[in-house]
Amino acid sequence: MKPTSLITLYISAFMCMSAHASSSNVEFLNTTKVAPNLPFSQIVKAGNTLYMSGQIGIIPETGKLAAGGFEGEAKQTLENIKRTLEQHNYSMSNIVKCTVMLTNINDFKAFNAIYTQYFSAPYPARSAFAVKALALDSLVEVECIGAI
């Protein structure tokens, strides 16, 4: 995709989200289990769309990344997505799009093996790309969009 096309896409998405934000059917879904000092919502519900903040492989009870290297973090990341959805009475079947960020693109195959334990066909649309670094030195981050 050309950089100008990507910029146009982002501007369109922003305008769409802004239109949703100005309407009265926007809800910011958070539980008390989220650290109150973090500057984001777990899920923003705009109309029939769920926008989830990115998740990494932090164990909620300890606040530390899951053991087991990439596989441990990837599994915990998807568990965190599942848990967040369930806390708000949604499920993995509501997910229609995932964006996967990996610090090592060579982990793509391992991620797919774990991902298919949480999603089944027909799978959500998905993008995956390598990034230089993620929060807390995580090896993987996943953000999702859902529909209800």
Side-chain angles (χ1 to χ4, degrees), residues 37-128:
N37 296 332
L38 296 177
F40 55 83
S41 293
Q42 288 178 302
I43 300 174
V44 175
K45 178 183 171 198
N48 291 329
T49 305
L50 304 172
Y51 298 95
M52 295 186 72
S53 291
Q55 294 278 344
I56 60 176
I58 290 181
I59 299 170
E61 296 78 19
T62 67
K64 302 204 184 285
L65 289 171
F70 178 81
E71 287 83 3
E73 285 187 38
K75 183 173 180 170
Q76 186 63 51
T77 297
L78 291 165
E79 283 292 328
N80 290 345
I81 291 167
K82 182 179 175 187
R83 177 183 292 126
T84 299
L85 287 164
E86 289 173 351
Q87 287 171 341
H88 299 288
N89 299 313
Y90 300 109
S91 71
M92 297 297 268
S93 66
N94 289 107
I95 300 301
V96 297
K97 169 74 168 83
C98 294
T99 302
V100 181
M101 293 153 272
L102 308 167
T103 59
N104 184 343
I105 199 66
N106 293 324
D107 289 328
F108 185 72
K109 185 176 180 179
F111 182 79
N112 279 339
I114 296 164
Y115 181 84
T116 57
Q117 296 173 24
Y118 290 86
F119 293 102
S120 56
Y123 296 103
R126 193 179 79 187
S127 304

